[in-house]
Amino acid sequence: MSLIVVGSVAYDGVETPHGKIDRMLGGAATYIALAAAWFTPVKLVAVVGDDFAPEDVDLLASRAIDLDGLERVAGGKTFFWAGKYSPDMNDRTTLRTDLNVFADFDPKLPDSYRSAPYLLLGNIQPSLQKNVRAQMTAVKFAGGDTMNYWINDFRAELLETIREWDFLLINDTEARLLSGEHNLRRAAARILEMGPRALVVKRGEYGAVLFQGGCHFMAPGYLLEDVFDPTGAGDSFAGGFIGYLAGRGVSPSNGAIDFAELRRAVIYGSVMGSFCCEKFGVDRFRTLTREEIEARYREFQDCTAF
Amino acid sequence: MSLIVVGSVAYDGVETPHGKIDRMLGGAATYIALAAAWFTPVKLVAVVGDDFAPEDVDLLASRAIDLDGLERVAGGKTFFWAGKYSPDMNDRTTLRTDLNVFADFDPKLPDSYRSAPYLLLGNIQPSLQKNVRAQMTAVKFAGGDTMNYWINDFRAELLETIREWDFLLINDTEARLLSGEHNLRRAAARILEMGPRALVVKRGEYGAVLFQGGCHFMAPGYLLEDVFDPTGAGDSFAGGFIGYLAGRGVSPSNGAIDFAELRRAVIYGSVMGSFCCEKFGVDRFRTLTREEIEARYREFQDCTAF
């Protein structure tokens, strides 16, 4: 089932204890789309400048990602972000943010996208997220991500936007900020009252917790021997999560989403996030196979069952 | 199967966002013994002053904990510790440490203890831990805890001590310090080379990871709605872990410990640690029932299965 992915496509400069890359393909929508494309057909909505390289188009196209919604601004430059990770890679410092063409991003869905049933809204201005959803005619399952900036400074718009969502995918700091509750279980209960049917709280290396109604499910973080570059891990998680659900045709029934499918989606999200960290940028996705994905899913089963 | 528990019995003063208690029963061995006693007969080895209250003796005795090894120093005072937790309870500041009679603790096992098959060594000077083990004549399964102070300043003694252990139970910061590796998987591999057959790394609210040979198992932290007081949670974990294994008569066979039993032991440890946080000090253990323990074990199954 077709999945619309909306968000940033960018170039990143990244420094981790394992090395330094001055410019590589990045952006939330890139990671989401690449991760989701293992599970379901993806249609991308994003904006780039005319510096966007043919080989990066080729990579996305090679995963059968529909690029009709990838707007190119003539004379414009692609969003650029640079950052440096702390020695333990739990923190990062932003060195540079050049929004470039992304500053005026106003996503318009091509006609061929409007009837798609699945929608993943990457972290952009909440009103834009709401506009995208309004352009869709037959959406069965929609949700997305946000960040502290929108929670703090665009709260009203954000609340109006997520009220319509089937799921919200945020990290633990954002969940606390959005809810005003430090305790994760209380924070989740508050957020579910705001509208989303399901909530996934990402906890970095410690995994993720899924909440729906009075139920929750806890997925551990995969214990990697080497984290090369955590950039994009959260977005790859989102891509695996929504990609799996779209591939299975899951949608809410009587107001709730099949919890067993949601559990599996969280694990596939964790699988894709873990692969993302194994190389710089999107590099691990260049060689990844479906067999490796399934083998890691079984590893998750093996290291959590009792 | 009888379990020997060695460590501190103390009085604690604790302040958390939920309140302040000037003086209450505490100490690692207290929490370990109380948690383990739900699963197996416990024999305590510790030292107190003659200020140790009859009602605290009664509590331990009410759980059928053998107190023949609880030494009372006439004219001495019981170890006292006071601390204050940060608003999110992830950090604590020690306000006072009066070692009192604990400063000269030199554990001697009563004859009736020496043939016990199980041994849990709480966090004390490594040479003392080694001496205790040497006093035992038929030990089948032994291990324990340590802390940063011993790792930094008594490294040689510590390495000699844990070389003989079946399991080591430490937190993630200590695992990194002991191994010199930041990555948890690498840290665990290094530590297993030091002797212990199995390693449990506690990660506070994020749960615990068990390692043996090339296998690992990840248990989430229970999502409490209210953490009243985290004091003793790690020791209660240790008590549930070793108590379960002793109760089941588990011991190494061909150099390895039944991994399925170890997984369950980690969950029972997590269960006991989670109950510990629900009230101040050992208070939750005063009213806890075996039915509540089993119900929480099933909750762990329900929130991790997929």
Side-chain angles (χ1 to χ4, degrees), chain A residues 219-239:
Chain A
Y222 185 79
L223 284 191
L224 284 163
E225 281 205 38
D226 266 314
V227 175
F228 253 77
D229 173 15
T231 311
D235 295 315
S236 301
F237 179 104

Side-chain angles (χ1 to χ4, degrees), chain B residues 15 41 77 82 95 121 170 178 192 203 212 227 250-252 256 260:
Chain B
E15 187 172 350
K77 286 183 75 180
L95 301 174
L121 293 152
I170 51 180
L178 178 57
L192 291 178
R203 304 206 280 181
Q212 183 183 240
V227 175
V250 173
S251 67

Side-chain angles (χ1 to χ4, degrees), chain A residues 4 8 26 41 50 54 69 71 76 85 99 113 161 167 177 202 209 213 219 223 233 255 271 283 298 305:
Chain A
I4 308 294
S8 60
D50 50 17
E71 188 190 351
Y85 286 87
L99 288 176
Y113 281 30
T161 299
F167 66 93
L177 193 62
K202 297 174 285 178
V209 189
L223 284 191
V271 164
D283 275 2
R298 288 189 300 272

Side-chain angles (χ1 to χ4, degrees), chain A residues 117-119 133 139-144 161-168 192 195-199 211-212 241-242 251-253 255-257 262:
Chain A
Y118 288 85
L119 172 63
R133 196 186 184 289
V139 66
K140 284 171 58 180
F141 196 68
T161 299
I162 65 173
R163 197 152 47 94
E164 302 174 340
W165 287 5
D166 296 295
F167 66 93
L168 174 65
L192 291 179
R197 295 171 208 271
L199 169 68
F211 297 90
Q212 183 183 239
F241 174 81
I242 185 66
S251 66
S253 158
I257 309 151
L262 283 176

Side-chain angles (χ1 to χ4, degrees), chain A residues 147-165:
Chain A
M147 69 182 292
N148 49 3
Y149 177 59
W150 312 122
I151 296 171
N152 283 327
D153 294 0
F154 290 73
R155 192 174 180 86
E157 292 93 322
L158 180 64
L159 291 179
E160 221 180 286
T161 299
I162 65 173
R163 197 152 47 94
E164 302 174 340
W165 287 5

Side-chain angles (χ1 to χ4, degrees), chain A residues 88 182-183 185-186 203 206 211 216-218 221 223-226 263 297 301-306, chain B residues 88 182-183 185-186 203 206 211 216-218 220-221 223-226 263 297 301-306:
Chain A
D88 68 4
H182 178 79
N183 179 282
R185 206 157 169 169
R186 289 169 180 271
R203 305 205 281 180
Y206 299 113
F211 297 90
H216 72 275
F217 168 68
M218 306 179 81
L223 284 191
L224 284 163
E225 281 205 38
D226 266 314
R263 289 172 190 249
Y297 183 91
Q301 285 181 310
D302 187 54
C303 76
T304 58
F306 65 90
Chain B
D88 69 2
H182 179 78
N183 180 282
R185 205 156 170 171
R186 289 169 181 270
R203 304 206 280 181
Y206 299 112
F211 298 90
H216 71 275
F217 167 68
M218 305 178 83
L223 283 192
L224 284 163
E225 282 206 36
D226 266 315
R263 288 171 190 250
Y297 184 91
Q301 285 181 310
D302 186 55
C303 75
T304 59
F306 65 91

Side-chain angles (χ1 to χ4, degrees), chain B residues 159-178:
Chain B
L159 291 179
E160 222 180 284
T161 299
I162 66 173
R163 196 152 47 93
E164 302 174 340
W165 288 5
D166 296 296
F167 66 93
L168 174 65
L169 247 162
I170 51 180
N171 71 35
D172 44 3
T173 310
E174 291 157 356
R176 290 180 172 123
L177 193 62
L178 178 57

